[in-house]
PDB file of all heavy atoms in Angstrom:
ATOM      1  N   CYS A   1      -5.779  -1.101   3.235  1.00  0.00           N
ATOM      2  CA  CYS A   1      -6.110  -1.097   1.760  1.00  0.00           C
ATOM      3  C   CYS A   1      -4.873  -1.490   1.012  1.00  0.00           C
ATOM      4  O   CYS A   1      -3.845  -0.867   1.088  1.00  0.00           O
ATOM      5  CB  CYS A   1      -6.575   0.228   1.255  1.00  0.00           C
ATOM      6  SG  CYS A   1      -6.878   0.362  -0.462  1.00  0.00           S
ATOM      7  N   PRO A   2      -5.009  -2.588   0.289  1.00  0.00           N
ATOM      8  CA  PRO A   2      -3.881  -3.099  -0.561  1.00  0.00           C
ATOM      9  C   PRO A   2      -3.206  -2.063  -1.428  1.00  0.00           C
ATOM     10  O   PRO A   2      -2.062  -1.906  -1.653  1.00  0.00           O
ATOM     11  CB  PRO A   2      -4.329  -4.287  -1.302  1.00  0.00           C
ATOM     12  CG  PRO A   2      -5.495  -4.716  -0.473  1.00  0.00           C
ATOM     13  CD  PRO A   2      -6.117  -3.520   0.106  1.00  0.00           C
ATOM     14  N   TRP A   3      -4.148  -1.265  -2.173  1.00  0.00           N
ATOM     15  CA  TRP A   3      -3.625  -0.181  -3.094  1.00  0.00           C
ATOM     16  C   TRP A   3      -2.916   0.883  -2.360  1.00  0.00           C
ATOM     17  O   TRP A   3      -1.763   1.289  -2.738  1.00  0.00           O
ATOM     18  CB  TRP A   3      -4.797   0.300  -3.904  1.00  0.00           C
ATOM     19  CG  TRP A   3      -4.352   1.237  -5.033  1.00  0.00           C
ATOM     20  CD1 TRP A   3      -3.979   0.867  -6.312  1.00  0.00           C
ATOM     21  CD2 TRP A   3      -4.244   2.664  -4.850  1.00  0.00           C
ATOM     22  NE1 TRP A   3      -3.656   2.084  -6.980  1.00  0.00           N
ATOM     23  CE2 TRP A   3      -3.683   3.104  -6.034  1.00  0.00           C
ATOM     24  CE3 TRP A   3      -4.344   3.601  -3.844  1.00  0.00           C
ATOM     25  CZ2 TRP A   3      -3.431   4.511  -6.447  1.00  0.00           C
ATOM     26  CZ3 TRP A   3      -4.050   4.974  -4.068  1.00  0.00           C
ATOM     27  CH2 TRP A   3      -3.654   5.363  -5.311  1.00  0.00           C
ATOM     28  N   ASP A   4      -3.607   1.432  -1.372  1.00  0.00           N
ATOM     29  CA  ASP A   4      -2.985   2.523  -0.598  1.00  0.00           C
ATOM     30  C   ASP A   4      -1.652   2.070   0.006  1.00  0.00           C
ATOM     31  O   ASP A   4      -0.723   2.865   0.154  1.00  0.00           O
ATOM     32  CB  ASP A   4      -3.949   3.031   0.478  1.00  0.00           C
ATOM     33  CG  ASP A   4      -5.123   3.776  -0.166  1.00  0.00           C
ATOM     34  OD1 ASP A   4      -4.986   4.932  -0.517  1.00  0.00           O
ATOM     35  OD2 ASP A   4      -6.219   3.163  -0.243  1.00  0.00           O
ATOM     36  N   ARG A   5      -1.589   0.890   0.503  1.00  0.00           N
ATOM     37  CA  ARG A   5      -0.431   0.367   1.226  1.00  0.00           C
ATOM     38  C   ARG A   5       0.756   0.268   0.221  1.00  0.00           C
ATOM     39  O   ARG A   5       1.897   0.416   0.675  1.00  0.00           O
ATOM     40  CB  ARG A   5      -0.747  -1.101   1.710  1.00  0.00           C
ATOM     41  CG  ARG A   5       0.243  -1.436   2.779  1.00  0.00           C
ATOM     42  CD  ARG A   5      -0.251  -2.712   3.605  1.00  0.00           C
ATOM     43  NE  ARG A   5      -0.685  -3.786   2.747  1.00  0.00           N
ATOM     44  CZ  ARG A   5      -1.928  -4.304   2.747  1.00  0.00           C
ATOM     45  NH1 ARG A   5      -2.875  -3.818   3.572  1.00  0.00           N
ATOM     46  NH2 ARG A   5      -2.264  -5.376   2.018  1.00  0.00           N
ATOM     47  N   GLU A   6       0.577   0.038  -1.067  1.00  0.00           N
ATOM     48  CA  GLU A   6       1.618  -0.139  -1.985  1.00  0.00           C
ATOM     49  C   GLU A   6       2.147   1.120  -2.534  1.00  0.00           C
ATOM     50  O   GLU A   6       3.184   1.131  -3.299  1.00  0.00           O
ATOM     51  CB  GLU A   6       1.063  -1.039  -3.167  1.00  0.00           C
ATOM     52  CG  GLU A   6       0.878  -2.510  -2.739  1.00  0.00           C
ATOM     53  CD  GLU A   6       0.344  -3.301  -3.955  1.00  0.00           C
ATOM     54  OE1 GLU A   6       0.217  -2.739  -5.033  1.00  0.00           O
ATOM     55  OE2 GLU A   6       0.089  -4.482  -3.756  1.00  0.00           O
ATOM     56  N   GLN A   7       1.464   2.226  -2.375  1.00  0.00           N
ATOM     57  CA  GLN A   7       1.881   3.471  -2.973  1.00  0.00           C
ATOM     58  C   GLN A   7       3.142   3.991  -2.501  1.00  0.00           C
ATOM     59  O   GLN A   7       3.454   3.763  -1.305  1.00  0.00           O
ATOM     60  CB  GLN A   7       0.770   4.622  -2.866  1.00  0.00           C
ATOM     61  CG  GLN A   7      -0.529   4.178  -3.568  1.00  0.00           C
ATOM     62  CD  GLN A   7      -0.345   3.656  -4.923  1.00  0.00           C
ATOM     63  OE1 GLN A   7       0.243   4.269  -5.788  1.00  0.00           O
ATOM     64  NE2 GLN A   7      -0.789   2.362  -5.090  1.00  0.00           N
ATOM     65  N   THR A   8       4.002   4.722  -3.336  1.00  0.00           N
ATOM     66  CA  THR A   8       5.196   5.442  -3.034  1.00  0.00           C
ATOM     67  C   THR A   8       5.110   6.807  -3.523  1.00  0.00           C
ATOM     68  O   THR A   8       4.215   7.204  -4.211  1.00  0.00           O
ATOM     69  CB  THR A   8       6.332   4.606  -3.651  1.00  0.00           C
ATOM     70  OG1 THR A   8       6.235   4.724  -5.147  1.00  0.00           O
ATOM     71  CG2 THR A   8       6.393   3.187  -3.265  1.00  0.00           C
ATOM     72  N   PHE A   9       6.134   7.664  -3.176  1.00  0.00           N
ATOM     73  CA  PHE A   9       6.236   8.988  -3.691  1.00  0.00           C
ATOM     74  C   PHE A   9       6.199   8.895  -5.183  1.00  0.00           C
ATOM     75  O   PHE A   9       5.525   9.770  -5.846  1.00  0.00           O
ATOM     76  CB  PHE A   9       7.504   9.659  -3.173  1.00  0.00           C
ATOM     77  CG  PHE A   9       7.461  10.127  -1.796  1.00  0.00           C
ATOM     78  CD1 PHE A   9       7.731   9.267  -0.733  1.00  0.00           C
ATOM     79  CD2 PHE A   9       7.118  11.367  -1.511  1.00  0.00           C
ATOM     80  CE1 PHE A   9       7.758   9.703   0.637  1.00  0.00           C
ATOM     81  CE2 PHE A   9       6.983  11.858  -0.182  1.00  0.00           C
ATOM     82  CZ  PHE A   9       7.286  11.012   0.811  1.00  0.00           C
ATOM     83  N   GLU A  10       6.955   7.957  -5.717  1.00  0.00           N
ATOM     84  CA  GLU A  10       7.075   7.902  -7.281  1.00  0.00           C
ATOM     85  C   GLU A  10       5.749   7.508  -7.930  1.00  0.00           C
ATOM     86  O   GLU A  10       5.368   8.023  -8.922  1.00  0.00           O
ATOM     87  CB  GLU A  10       8.132   6.932  -7.674  1.00  0.00           C
ATOM     88  CG  GLU A  10       9.640   7.421  -7.280  1.00  0.00           C
ATOM     89  CD  GLU A  10       9.931   7.340  -5.782  1.00  0.00           C
ATOM     90  OE1 GLU A  10       9.193   6.528  -5.063  1.00  0.00           O
ATOM     91  OE2 GLU A  10      10.824   7.967  -5.350  1.00  0.00           O
ATOM     92  N   SER A  11       5.024   6.594  -7.345  1.00  0.00           N
ATOM     93  CA  SER A  11       3.882   6.157  -7.956  1.00  0.00           C
ATOM     94  C   SER A  11       2.711   7.098  -7.850  1.00  0.00           C
ATOM     95  O   SER A  11       1.810   7.095  -8.752  1.00  0.00           O
ATOM     96  CB  SER A  11       3.384   4.820  -7.208  1.00  0.00           C
ATOM     97  OG  SER A  11       2.878   4.996  -5.935  1.00  0.00           O
ATOM     98  N   LEU A  12       2.693   8.025  -6.917  1.00  0.00           N
ATOM     99  CA  LEU A  12       1.698   9.036  -6.784  1.00  0.00           C
ATOM    100  C   LEU A  12       1.987  10.317  -7.562  1.00  0.00           C
ATOM    101  O   LEU A  12       1.109  11.129  -7.731  1.00  0.00           O
ATOM    102  CB  LEU A  12       1.455   9.410  -5.326  1.00  0.00           C
ATOM    103  CG  LEU A  12       0.794   8.472  -4.399  1.00  0.00           C
ATOM    104  CD1 LEU A  12       0.718   8.980  -3.023  1.00  0.00           C
ATOM    105  CD2 LEU A  12      -0.623   8.169  -4.945  1.00  0.00           C
ATOM    106  N   ARG A  13       3.235  10.420  -8.040  1.00  0.00           N
ATOM    107  CA  ARG A  13       3.677  11.687  -8.699  1.00  0.00           C
ATOM    108  C   ARG A  13       2.745  12.156  -9.801  1.00  0.00           C
ATOM    109  O   ARG A  13       2.267  13.231  -9.903  1.00  0.00           O
ATOM    110  CB  ARG A  13       5.106  11.591  -9.134  1.00  0.00           C
ATOM    111  CG  ARG A  13       5.606  12.808  -9.898  1.00  0.00           C
ATOM    112  CD  ARG A  13       7.045  12.602 -10.326  1.00  0.00           C
ATOM    113  NE  ARG A  13       7.504  13.697 -11.121  1.00  0.00           N
ATOM    114  CZ  ARG A  13       7.270  13.780 -12.433  1.00  0.00           C
ATOM    115  NH1 ARG A  13       6.557  12.961 -13.120  1.00  0.00           N
ATOM    116  NH2 ARG A  13       7.718  14.867 -13.115  1.00  0.00           N
ATOM    117  N   ASN A  14       2.523  11.248 -10.787  1.00  0.00           N
ATOM    118  CA  ASN A  14       1.687  11.566 -11.965  1.00  0.00           C
ATOM    119  C   ASN A  14       0.266  11.841 -11.615  1.00  0.00           C
ATOM    120  O   ASN A  14      -0.418  12.768 -12.207  1.00  0.00           O
ATOM    121  CB  ASN A  14       1.797  10.530 -13.043  1.00  0.00           C
ATOM    122  CG  ASN A  14       3.160  10.427 -13.695  1.00  0.00           C
ATOM    123  OD1 ASN A  14       3.948  11.513 -13.760  1.00  0.00           O
ATOM    124  ND2 ASN A  14       3.519   9.290 -14.230  1.00  0.00           N
ATOM    125  N   ASN A  15      -0.219  11.143 -10.673  1.00  0.00           N
ATOM    126  CA  ASN A  15      -1.606  11.350 -10.136  1.00  0.00           C
ATOM    127  C   ASN A  15      -1.792  12.766  -9.534  1.00  0.00           C
ATOM    128  O   ASN A  15      -2.721  13.455  -9.693  1.00  0.00           O
ATOM    129  CB  ASN A  15      -2.035  10.306  -9.129  1.00  0.00           C
ATOM    130  CG  ASN A  15      -2.278   8.988  -9.665  1.00  0.00           C
ATOM    131  OD1 ASN A  15      -2.520   8.901 -10.875  1.00  0.00           O
ATOM    132  ND2 ASN A  15      -2.299   7.910  -8.887  1.00  0.00           N
ATOM    133  N   THR A  16      -0.641  13.214  -8.805  1.00  0.00           N
ATOM    134  CA  THR A  16      -0.668  14.541  -8.157  1.00  0.00           C
ATOM    135  C   THR A  16      -0.710  15.638  -9.342  1.00  0.00           C
ATOM    136  O   THR A  16      -1.428  16.590  -9.155  1.00  0.00           O
ATOM    137  CB  THR A  16       0.524  14.712  -7.340  1.00  0.00           C
ATOM    138  OG1 THR A  16       0.675  13.678  -6.380  1.00  0.00           O
ATOM    139  CG2 THR A  16       0.467  16.055  -6.581  1.00  0.00           C
ATOM    140  N   ILE A  17       0.109  15.370 -10.365  1.00  0.00           N
ATOM    141  CA  ILE A  17       0.054  16.411 -11.431  1.00  0.00           C
ATOM    142  C   ILE A  17      -1.319  16.375 -12.106  1.00  0.00           C
ATOM    143  O   ILE A  17      -1.880  17.511 -12.306  1.00  0.00           O
ATOM    144  CB  ILE A  17       1.092  15.974 -12.485  1.00  0.00           C
ATOM    145  CG1 ILE A  17       2.580  16.032 -11.935  1.00  0.00           C
ATOM    146  CG2 ILE A  17       1.002  16.820 -13.755  1.00  0.00           C
ATOM    147  CD1 ILE A  17       3.608  15.533 -12.769  1.00  0.00           C
ATOM    148  N   GLU A  18      -1.922  15.247 -12.281  1.00  0.00           N
ATOM    149  CA  GLU A  18      -3.284  15.269 -12.872  1.00  0.00           C
ATOM    150  C   GLU A  18      -4.320  15.883 -12.026  1.00  0.00           C
ATOM    151  O   GLU A  18      -5.225  16.685 -12.459  1.00  0.00           O
ATOM    152  CB  GLU A  18      -3.708  13.781 -13.080  1.00  0.00           C
ATOM    153  CG  GLU A  18      -5.046  13.612 -13.784  1.00  0.00           C
ATOM    154  CD  GLU A  18      -5.396  12.157 -13.993  1.00  0.00           C
ATOM    155  OE1 GLU A  18      -4.499  11.319 -13.939  1.00  0.00           O
ATOM    156  OE2 GLU A  18      -6.599  11.897 -14.174  1.00  0.00           O
ATOM    157  N   GLU A  19      -4.215  15.654 -10.699  1.00  0.00           N
ATOM    158  CA  GLU A  19      -5.203  16.341  -9.730  1.00  0.00           C
ATOM    159  C   GLU A  19      -4.989  17.899  -9.834  1.00  0.00           C
ATOM    160  O   GLU A  19      -6.048  18.626  -9.706  1.00  0.00           O
ATOM    161  CB  GLU A  19      -5.012  15.863  -8.311  1.00  0.00           C
ATOM    162  CG  GLU A  19      -5.291  14.339  -8.164  1.00  0.00           C
ATOM    163  CD  GLU A  19      -6.713  13.988  -8.364  1.00  0.00           C
ATOM    164  OE1 GLU A  19      -7.598  14.873  -8.578  1.00  0.00           O
ATOM    165  OE2 GLU A  19      -7.110  12.780  -8.411  1.00  0.00           O
ATOM    166  N   THR A  20      -3.769  18.244  -9.929  1.00  0.00           N
ATOM    167  CA  THR A  20      -3.461  19.754  -9.932  1.00  0.00           C
ATOM    168  C   THR A  20      -4.153  20.328 -11.166  1.00  0.00           C
ATOM    169  O   THR A  20      -4.805  21.412 -11.197  1.00  0.00           O
ATOM    170  CB  THR A  20      -1.957  20.067  -9.964  1.00  0.00           C
ATOM    171  OG1 THR A  20      -1.389  19.419  -8.817  1.00  0.00           O
ATOM    172  CG2 THR A  20      -1.706  21.573  -9.986  1.00  0.00           C
ATOM    173  N   PHE A  21      -4.026  19.659 -12.316  1.00  0.00           N
ATOM    174  CA  PHE A  21      -4.671  20.179 -13.538  1.00  0.00           C
ATOM    175  C   PHE A  21      -6.151  20.144 -13.517  1.00  0.00           C
ATOM    176  O   PHE A  21      -6.874  21.040 -14.053  1.00  0.00           O
ATOM    177  CB  PHE A  21      -4.232  19.530 -14.769  1.00  0.00           C
ATOM    178  CG  PHE A  21      -2.779  19.985 -15.255  1.00  0.00           C
ATOM    179  CD1 PHE A  21      -1.684  19.240 -15.011  1.00  0.00           C
ATOM    180  CD2 PHE A  21      -2.694  21.264 -15.832  1.00  0.00           C
ATOM    181  CE1 PHE A  21      -0.414  19.684 -15.444  1.00  0.00           C
ATOM    182  CE2 PHE A  21      -1.421  21.595 -16.223  1.00  0.00           C
ATOM    183  CZ  PHE A  21      -0.302  20.952 -16.116  1.00  0.00           C
ATOM    184  N   GLU A  22      -6.739  19.157 -12.853  1.00  0.00           N
ATOM    185  CA  GLU A  22      -8.182  19.035 -12.693  1.00  0.00           C
ATOM    186  C   GLU A  22      -8.658  20.245 -11.763  1.00  0.00           C
ATOM    187  O   GLU A  22      -9.782  20.784 -12.018  1.00  0.00           O
ATOM    188  CB  GLU A  22      -8.504  17.736 -12.064  1.00  0.00           C
ATOM    189  CG  GLU A  22      -8.383  16.593 -13.070  1.00  0.00           C
ATOM    190  CD  GLU A  22      -8.828  15.162 -12.383  1.00  0.00           C
ATOM    191  OE1 GLU A  22      -9.142  15.235 -11.237  1.00  0.00           O
ATOM    192  OE2 GLU A  22      -8.709  14.208 -13.104  1.00  0.00           O
ATOM    193  N   LEU A  23      -7.845  20.634 -10.786  1.00  0.00           N
ATOM    194  CA  LEU A  23      -8.180  21.770  -9.926  1.00  0.00           C
ATOM    195  C   LEU A  23      -8.179  23.063 -10.828  1.00  0.00           C
ATOM    196  O   LEU A  23      -9.110  23.888 -10.712  1.00  0.00           O
ATOM    197  CB  LEU A  23      -7.268  21.887  -8.798  1.00  0.00           C
ATOM    198  CG  LEU A  23      -7.388  23.167  -7.940  1.00  0.00           C
ATOM    199  CD1 LEU A  23      -8.814  23.259  -7.336  1.00  0.00           C
ATOM    200  CD2 LEU A  23      -6.334  23.208  -6.835  1.00  0.00           C
ATOM    201  N   THR A  24      -7.194  23.188 -11.643  1.00  0.00           N
ATOM    202  CA  THR A  24      -7.139  24.458 -12.456  1.00  0.00           C
ATOM    203  C   THR A  24      -8.215  24.442 -13.426  1.00  0.00           C
ATOM    204  O   THR A  24      -8.793  25.590 -13.734  1.00  0.00           O
ATOM    205  CB  THR A  24      -5.754  24.539 -13.170  1.00  0.00           C
ATOM    206  OG1 THR A  24      -5.626  23.374 -14.141  1.00  0.00           O
ATOM    207  CG2 THR A  24      -4.613  24.566 -12.256  1.00  0.00           C
ATOM    208  N   ASP A  25      -8.691  23.381 -13.868  1.00  0.00           N
ATOM    209  CA  ASP A  25      -9.905  23.325 -14.801  1.00  0.00           C
ATOM    210  C   ASP A  25     -11.134  23.781 -14.096  1.00  0.00           C
ATOM    211  O   ASP A  25     -11.944  24.697 -14.655  1.00  0.00           O
ATOM    212  CB  ASP A  25     -10.156  21.881 -15.342  1.00  0.00           C
ATOM    213  CG  ASP A  25      -9.160  21.518 -16.424  1.00  0.00           C
ATOM    214  OD1 ASP A  25      -8.490  22.261 -17.001  1.00  0.00           O
ATOM    215  OD2 ASP A  25      -9.171  20.246 -16.731  1.00  0.00           O
ATOM    216  N   ALA A  26     -11.320  23.339 -12.903  1.00  0.00           N
ATOM    217  CA  ALA A  26     -12.509  23.810 -12.152  1.00  0.00           C
ATOM    218  C   ALA A  26     -12.411  25.307 -11.753  1.00  0.00           C
ATOM    219  O   ALA A  26     -13.421  26.008 -11.901  1.00  0.00           O
ATOM    220  CB  ALA A  26     -12.542  23.026 -10.799  1.00  0.00           C
ATOM    221  N   ILE A  27     -11.257  25.726 -11.442  1.00  0.00           N
ATOM    222  CA  ILE A  27     -11.072  27.162 -11.254  1.00  0.00           C
ATOM    223  C   ILE A  27     -11.343  28.017 -12.477  1.00  0.00           C
ATOM    224  O   ILE A  27     -12.092  29.009 -12.472  1.00  0.00           O
ATOM    225  CB  ILE A  27      -9.666  27.494 -10.717  1.00  0.00           C
ATOM    226  CG1 ILE A  27      -9.411  26.904  -9.361  1.00  0.00           C
ATOM    227  CG2 ILE A  27      -9.286  28.971 -10.702  1.00  0.00           C
ATOM    228  CD1 ILE A  27      -7.958  26.956  -8.848  1.00  0.00           C
ATOM    229  N   THR A  28     -10.873  27.527 -13.583  1.00  0.00           N
ATOM    230  CA  THR A  28     -11.075  28.266 -14.861  1.00  0.00           C
ATOM    231  C   THR A  28     -12.574  28.212 -15.187  1.00  0.00           C
ATOM    232  O   THR A  28     -13.145  29.315 -15.679  1.00  0.00           O
ATOM    233  CB  THR A  28     -10.299  27.571 -16.088  1.00  0.00           C
ATOM    234  OG1 THR A  28      -8.878  27.541 -15.711  1.00  0.00           O
ATOM    235  CG2 THR A  28     -10.551  28.315 -17.341  1.00  0.00           C
ATOM    236  N   ASP A  29     -13.361  27.147 -14.859  1.00  0.00           N
ATOM    237  CA  ASP A  29     -14.748  27.061 -15.154  1.00  0.00           C
ATOM    238  C   ASP A  29     -15.575  27.798 -14.175  1.00  0.00           C
ATOM    239  O   ASP A  29     -16.772  27.892 -14.343  1.00  0.00           O
ATOM    240  CB  ASP A  29     -15.147  25.623 -15.276  1.00  0.00           C
ATOM    241  CG  ASP A  29     -14.630  24.949 -16.429  1.00  0.00           C
ATOM    242  OD1 ASP A  29     -14.150  25.592 -17.397  1.00  0.00           O
ATOM    243  OD2 ASP A  29     -14.487  23.650 -16.378  1.00  0.00           O
ATOM    244  N   GLY A  30     -14.928  28.261 -13.081  1.00  0.00           N
ATOM    245  CA  GLY A  30     -15.729  28.895 -12.023  1.00  0.00           C
ATOM    246  C   GLY A  30     -16.602  27.948 -11.305  1.00  0.00           C
ATOM    247  O   GLY A  30     -17.688  28.302 -10.757  1.00  0.00           O
ATOM    248  N   ASP A  31     -16.328  26.698 -11.315  1.00  0.00           N
ATOM    249  CA  ASP A  31     -17.099  25.657 -10.707  1.00  0.00           C
ATOM    250  C   ASP A  31     -16.736  25.374  -9.321  1.00  0.00           C
ATOM    251  O   ASP A  31     -15.765  24.646  -8.950  1.00  0.00           O
ATOM    252  CB  ASP A  31     -16.879  24.379 -11.523  1.00  0.00           C
ATOM    253  CG  ASP A  31     -17.749  23.178 -10.917  1.00  0.00           C
ATOM    254  OD1 ASP A  31     -18.482  23.296 -10.027  1.00  0.00           O
ATOM    255  OD2 ASP A  31     -17.563  22.058 -11.588  1.00  0.00           O
TER     256      ASP A  31
END
C-alpha cells in the first residue's frame, strides 16, 4: 500500500492522539 508504505513515527503521531480520544469518547458513552 503506497500510503502505509510512506508512514513514519512522526506522520502517525497526531492520528494516534486522535484515535486515543475517540476511544475515550466511546468509553465515556458506554458504547
